[in-house]
Amino acid sequence: MAEQVRACFICGNKTSPLHGLPKKEDLRKKWLEFIFGTLPLKYYANLTLCSDHFEHSDFSNFGAYSSGFTTRLLLRPGSVPSRRSTTSSQSAGSFQQSPAVRHVGCQTDPPENRSVATQLSMRTLRHPVRSKGTQVTSMNDFGVGTTTGPLMTLQPLMTSTHITFTRPAKRSRLELDDEEKEEEDEYDDDDDDDDDDDDSVSMEGLEPHDSTCDPADSVSTEWTNMLPSSSPIQNIPKYIVYETCLLELFEMCPVCQRACRVRRRRLGTFLAVDQLCPHCKFSRQWKSQPIVGSTPAGNLQLSAAVYLTGASFFKLKKTFRAMHVKVFQYDTFRRHARMFLEPAIVYKWKRAQEVMLQRLSKDKKVIVGGDMRTDSPGHSAMFGSYSMMDLKSNTVIDIQLVQSNEVDLPCYMEKEGLKRSLALLGDHGVNLDCIVTNRHPQIQKFLKELNIKQFYDVWHVEKGVSEKLEKISDDKECKQLKKWLRSIKNHVYWTAASSKTGAERVAKWTSIVNHVQDIHTHNNPIFPKCLHPERISRDKSKWLTPGTPAFNELNKVLTSRRMLEHVERLNPHHQTSSVEAFHSVSIRFAPKNVVFNFLGRLCRLYLSAMHFNENADHLQATTSAGDPAFNVKSHRAKKGECTVEPVKTEQTFNYIDDLMNLLFDHVAKDPAPYFSEVLTIPIP
C-alpha cells in the first residue's frame, strides 16, 4: 500500500510547510472556524494547513527559513490562520525555502553539506532567534538577517550579519574591570575544503553512557521551539561545556558550508567567539553569558553563590584549577562583593530585622537571650559578635559586631555588644520581660543598674559545677565523688525545671547535700523530703560520710554564696542553647581561622542569621511508614556517650534565592541606593 502524502486541507498544497491543529482547545476552535466557517461536530483530527494561510509575522523564524538556515517554519504561540486565498500578495510559492548552498561570487563548485556529530543540539548552528541582527537587502543571490524582540537591558548572546569583515585597529571589548585577565586567540586559518560527508546528521553516539552516573541526574526534555526564554538570568540552567565541543559549532559557515576562521576572547568565566568566513564574508559573534550592565552575568552569579553560601573562593579556585575550568581572579570577587553583594545583604537583613522588631514591639512580655562569640579563642580577639535572640520564636533579632579597639580591653566587648542591642530594642519600643545570659560579672552589674530581670542559662551553670567537681574528684582522697557526678549534673536541670520561685530552687538544690549522705528528709519547709521512692541501695560504698575530704569539698562547692545566687536565677523555661546553636552555624559562614574585614565579617554573620531563622524550627522527618525518624549520635562533650536525637527535614535556602533576585533585578542595575545603606554602618 502506498504511503499517503499529507497536503493542505484547504488548497491541497503539498510543497509548503504544513502545520497541524493546535492542542489548546480554545485555539483549536478558532482554527476550525477558519477552515469550515463554523464549528463542525466531527472533523479529521490530523488535518493540516500550509504556511500560505498565515502572515509572515505569525512565524518566529521566517527570516532564518527564507535565508536557508532552517528547514522548518515555526508558528508563534497563539497564531491563527487568516488568509483564505493564496492569490494575493502572498503566493503559493512564497514560502519556498532558499537553497542551503549557493554560489557566492566564486568560481569553485558548490560544496556539499557537511554534518558534524557533537553532544550539542542540532539546531545550535541555526540562526539564533535571540540574536540582535539587521535586515539586509538581498545582495546578488541571497540576504542574511534575523528579527528579534528586545532582551530587556541585556546585550545579545549572538549577532550575525552579511558584511565585509574588516579587522578593527582596536578590538571592541566589554566594559569590565581592567584587572580581569582577558585572553584572545587569533583566527584559526583553516581554509581546507569541506569533506564529503552524509547529508543527514547522525544522532548515534550523542548520549553518553556513564556506568557511575545516578539515573536521577539524567533529565530529558521534550522537543521545543527555540523561543526567547522568559526566565530570569539567575534561574537559567548552566552546563559545563568543553572547548573543543563548543568550537565545532563554528567550524563551518552556515551560508556556504566552508571552513571558517574563529577567534576566542575570555573574561573570567565569560567566553566570546567571533566567526568569520573568508569565502562569503559571513560573520557573527557568540557570547556564553548575558551581560548585566557591563558585567558578565556568570561572573557575578558565581561570586554571589560563593559569598551567599559561606564557601571559600580559594577552595573553589583550586577545584576549578584541577578541572581546568576558567575562573576570574580574587580581586574581581572582592570587587563584586564590595559593589553588589554586601549592599544587597545589608539591605535584606535590615528589612527583615525591621519586621521582627515591629512584631516584638506589639508583645507585652518579650524574653530574649544573648551571648558573645569572639573571632578567635582567648583574650586577644580582634572582633566580638553579640547575638540577641527572641527565645519564644527562636529567631535571631540582632547582631552587634564590636572591634577590640572600640573598647578599653577585649573583655569589655561583650558588655558593649549587649548595650548596643538593648539600645536598638528600646528605640523600637520593645518591652523586655527578662533576659537570659551567661554568668559574666560585667553583664550582671550592667543589667542590675538598668533594673532588667536577668536569668542564667542552666547549661552554663551545670558546666561550671561539673568542671569544678571533676577536678576535685581527680584527687586520691575524693575519688568517691566520681559516682555522684552524673546525679549532680541531672539535679541542676531538675531543680530549674521543677521550681517556680527562686527560694524553691535553692531549697531543692541544697537537698543534694543530705541526699549524698543517704538522708532524704530536710529541715527546709519548702522542700521537706526527697520525692523519689524509698529503696535500698545495692552499692552502700557510694554514700558520703560527713567530715571526710570528699564531703567537705562537695559541700563547699554546692553551698557557696555565689553558687546559691546563681541557682536562684536559673531560668525554668528558656535557655540560651538556641544561641549556642546559632554560633555553630555562624562558624560555617565566618570561620575563626579566616581573616575578614569588619564589613565582610558582619555580612557573613547576617547571612548566618538568615539561614538560622529560616531553618530553626523545621519539622521532624518521618520514615517511609510515616513514623518519626530518629538517629543515634555520639557527642565529644559527653565523652563517647550516645544519645537519640530526632532527624530533621532537609534545610531550605530560600534566602539565597531572594538575595539572587534582589541582586540581579535591582542592585546590579543601580547599586547606589543599596550602597547608601552600607554607609550608615559605623565601621571603626
Side-chain angles (χ1 to χ4, degrees):
M1 182 177 179
E3 183 180 358
Q4 184 178 2
V5 180
R6 300 178 66 188
C8 177
F9 184 81
I10 296 178
C11 62
N13 192 347
K14 301 178 182 179
T15 58
S16 296
L18 301 177
H19 308 276
L21 295 176
K23 295 182 179 180
K24 293 184 178 181
E25 189 65 26
D26 54 345
L27 189 60
R28 181 190 290 256
K29 291 180 180 179
K30 295 180 181 179
W31 281 48
L32 294 175
E33 290 177 354
F34 171 80
I35 297 173
F36 297 99
T38 182
L39 194 62
L41 297 178
K42 294 183 180 181
Y43 58 90
Y44 181 54
N46 294 328
L47 63 84
T48 57
L49 294 182
C50 67
S51 302
D52 296 340
H53 300 285
F54 297 88
E55 299 290 344
H56 292 182
S57 58
D58 292 333
F59 300 100
S60 60
N61 64 337
F62 179 76
Y65 176 84
S66 60
S67 300
F69 294 156
T70 180
T71 59
R72 295 179 58 191
L73 269 176
L74 303 179
L75 284 172
R76 298 184 185 274
S79 297
V80 179
S82 58
R83 304 188 65 86
R84 170 68 61 175
S85 174
T86 61
T87 59
S88 57
S89 59
Q90 183 173 323
S91 61
S94 61
F95 281 94
Q96 292 297 325
Q97 182 184 9
S98 301
V101 179
R102 294 173 298 279
H103 295 282
V104 189
C106 61
Q107 297 179 357
T108 60
D109 294 333
E112 297 182 5
N113 293 338
R114 178 185 178 185
S115 60
V116 180
T118 68
Q119 295 183 356
L120 301 176
S121 173
M122 294 174 56
R123 291 182 289 177
T124 309
L125 282 174
R126 197 174 68 190
H127 199 70
V129 177
R130 295 183 62 180
S131 64
K132 180 180 179 182
T134 57
Q135 293 287 355
V136 182
T137 305
S138 177
M139 300 175 60
N140 294 333
D141 294 338
F142 67 97
V144 178
T146 61
T147 57
T148 66
L151 189 59
M152 300 189 63
T153 60
L154 305 178
Q155 297 184 14
L157 297 179
M158 181 180 290
T159 58
S160 62
T161 180
H162 181 78
I163 57 175
T164 302
F165 183 84
T166 304
R167 186 183 298 274
K170 284 188 177 181
R171 60 175 177 81
S172 58
R173 66 175 180 85
L174 299 174
E175 297 178 2
L176 302 173
D177 304 313
D178 296 336
E179 291 82 352
E180 286 196 13
K181 182 180 179 181
E182 179 173 342
E183 294 182 356
E184 177 179 339
D185 296 335
E186 293 298 328
Y187 284 105
D188 297 335
D189 296 328
D190 185 8
D191 295 336
D192 297 335
D193 292 337
D194 301 325
D195 297 334
D196 295 334
D197 293 337
D198 295 336
D199 293 337
S200 60
V201 178
S202 174
M203 297 297 292
E204 297 180 0
L206 297 186
E207 292 294 336
H209 301 283
D210 188 358
S211 60
T212 64
C213 181
D214 188 348
D217 295 336
S218 179
V219 179
S220 299
T221 59
E222 298 294 334
W223 292 93
T224 58
N225 296 334
M226 295 297 293
L227 297 177
S229 175
S230 59
S231 301
I233 301 174
Q234 61 273 18
N235 297 338
I236 299 176
K238 293 89 177 170
Y239 306 94
I240 293 180
V241 180
Y242 281 60
E243 185 182 71
T244 54
C245 297
L246 175 65
L247 295 182
E248 285 181 358
L249 305 178
F250 302 96
E251 288 181 352
M252 307 304 299
C253 176
V255 177
C256 67
Q257 299 296 310
R258 303 193 67 181
C260 290
R261 301 165 62 187
V262 178
R263 179 175 63 183
R264 301 179 296 275
R265 291 184 295 128
R266 184 182 70 85
L267 289 162
T269 62
F270 172 84
L271 177 67
V273 179
D274 296 324
Q275 181 183 14
L276 171 64
C277 179
H279 307 286
C280 66
K281 303 307 179 183
F282 170 83
S283 66
R284 64 177 172 180
Q285 183 184 72
W286 176 87
K287 299 176 182 178
S288 64
Q289 303 170 14
I291 307 299
V292 181
S294 60
T295 305
N299 289 351
L300 180 58
Q301 190 167 8
L302 180 59
S303 296
V306 172
Y307 201 112
L308 301 182
T309 57
S312 170
F313 176 81
F314 297 103
K315 292 182 179 180
L316 176 75
K317 190 174 181 180
K318 290 180 181 178
T319 305
F320 278 21
R321 183 184 301 157
M323 291 187 62
H324 296 279
V325 177
K326 301 300 182 181
V327 71
F328 43 82
Q329 302 298 322
Y330 177 72
D331 291 342
T332 303
F333 170 75
R334 282 300 312 151
R335 196 157 39 249
H336 291 163
R338 184 172 57 254
M339 295 178 59
F340 305 109
L341 304 180
E342 291 172 348
I345 294 171
V346 173
Y347 177 84
K348 179 171 175 56
W349 169 254
K350 293 297 183 181
R351 302 288 84 76
Q353 185 184 40
E354 191 70 24
V355 173
M356 291 186 291
L357 293 178
Q358 288 181 1
R359 175 179 55 82
L360 291 178
S361 62
K362 301 177 182 179
D363 195 348
K364 296 181 179 180
K365 293 184 178 180
V366 178
I367 302 177
V368 297
D371 198 9
M372 185 77 172
R373 171 185 175 268
T374 57
D375 66 332
S376 60
H379 296 280
S380 60
M382 182 176 181
F383 296 105
S385 58
Y386 195 87
S387 306
M388 188 72 74
M389 179 176 291
D390 176 24
L391 298 181
K392 291 183 179 180
S393 61
N394 199 28
T395 55
V396 180
I397 58 177
D398 186 41
I399 297 176
Q400 294 293 334
L401 185 62
V402 183
Q403 192 165 311
S404 59
N405 59 5
E406 296 183 80
V407 293
D408 296 335
L409 294 174
C411 60
Y412 295 157
M413 290 193 296
E414 183 169 1
K415 177 182 176 181
E416 181 65 23
L418 175 61
K419 186 186 300 184
R420 296 178 183 179
S421 288
L422 293 178
L424 178 66
L425 296 180
D427 293 340
H428 287 78
V430 178
N431 298 318
L432 294 181
D433 179 56
C434 64
I435 181 172
V436 183
T437 65
N438 56 15
R439 299 180 296 169
H440 199 289
Q442 296 180 9
I443 302 300
Q444 298 178 33
K445 182 180 178 181
F446 175 68
L447 294 176
K448 187 176 181 180
E449 294 174 352
L450 296 179
N451 197 23
I452 297 177
K453 187 186 300 184
Q454 180 189 17
F455 286 100
Y456 296 142
D457 178 68
V458 179
W459 180 81
H460 285 89
V461 176
E462 177 270 317
K463 181 182 177 182
V465 174
S466 299
E467 289 178 350
K468 291 180 181 179
L469 294 180
E470 286 179 359
K471 186 176 181 180
I472 294 173
S473 64
D474 292 336
D475 191 288
K476 183 178 181 180
E477 297 180 346
C478 302
K479 288 186 177 181
Q480 196 176 5
L481 290 178
K482 289 186 178 293
K483 298 181 179 180
W484 291 100
L485 292 180
R486 173 176 288 278
S487 299
I488 295 174
K489 182 184 298 185
N490 295 337
H491 189 67
V492 178
Y493 290 98
W494 177 80
T495 299
S498 61
S499 304
K500 297 181 179 180
T501 63
E504 184 180 358
R505 282 188 285 270
V506 173
K508 290 182 177 180
W509 173 251
T510 54
S511 67
I512 190 68
V513 179
N514 290 335
H515 182 85
V516 297
Q517 304 176 63
D518 199 15
I519 300 174
H520 307 292
T521 57
H522 319 294
N523 297 327
N524 196 322
I526 300 177
F527 190 69
K529 61 177 297 186
C530 294
L531 299 180
H532 60 80
E534 295 184 5
R535 55 177 177 264
I536 299 175
S537 175
R538 288 177 293 182
D539 183 12
K540 296 184 178 181
S541 63
K542 69 178 182 180
W543 303 115
L544 301 181
T545 304
T548 59
F551 178 81
N552 293 337
E553 292 294 334
L554 177 64
N555 187 43
K556 186 187 299 183
V557 173
L558 300 183
T559 60
S560 64
R561 181 181 61 84
R562 185 179 180 185
M563 185 63 195
L564 295 180
E565 291 178 354
H566 294 171
V567 170
E568 186 178 4
R569 294 187 179 184
L570 289 178
N571 192 294
H573 305 295
H574 301 282
Q575 311 300 327
T576 60
S577 56
S578 298
V579 182
E580 299 295 339
F582 165 66
H583 287 170
S584 65
V585 173
S586 62
I587 290 178
R588 304 175 188 176
F589 288 85
K592 292 185 176 183
N593 58 348
V594 179
V595 178
F596 301 102
N597 57 24
F598 184 90
L599 183 59
R601 181 170 291 275
L602 182 61
C603 289
R604 284 167 173 81
L605 292 174
Y606 286 164
L607 287 172
S608 62
M610 296 178 198
H611 178 83
F612 182 85
N613 291 346
E614 183 175 328
N615 297 279
D617 294 325
H618 54 292
L619 303 177
Q620 183 177 357
T622 57
T623 62
S624 58
D627 300 326
F630 295 91
N631 192 15
V632 179
K633 289 187 177 180
S634 177
H635 297 276
R636 184 181 63 179
K638 296 185 178 182
K639 298 182 178 179
E641 296 181 5
C642 297
T643 58
V644 178
E645 298 181 356
V647 178
K648 300 294 184 179
T649 55
E650 292 291 335
Q651 295 181 347
T652 59
F653 304 91
N654 295 327
Y655 69 97
I656 295 182
D657 297 334
D658 296 340
L659 284 170
M660 284 288 189
N661 295 334
L662 175 65
L663 174 65
F664 282 93
D665 296 343
H666 303 284
V667 181
K669 297 178 180 179
D670 185 13
Y674 302 90
F675 194 79
S676 60
E677 194 89 28
V678 178
L679 299 179
T680 60
I681 300 177
I683 300 178

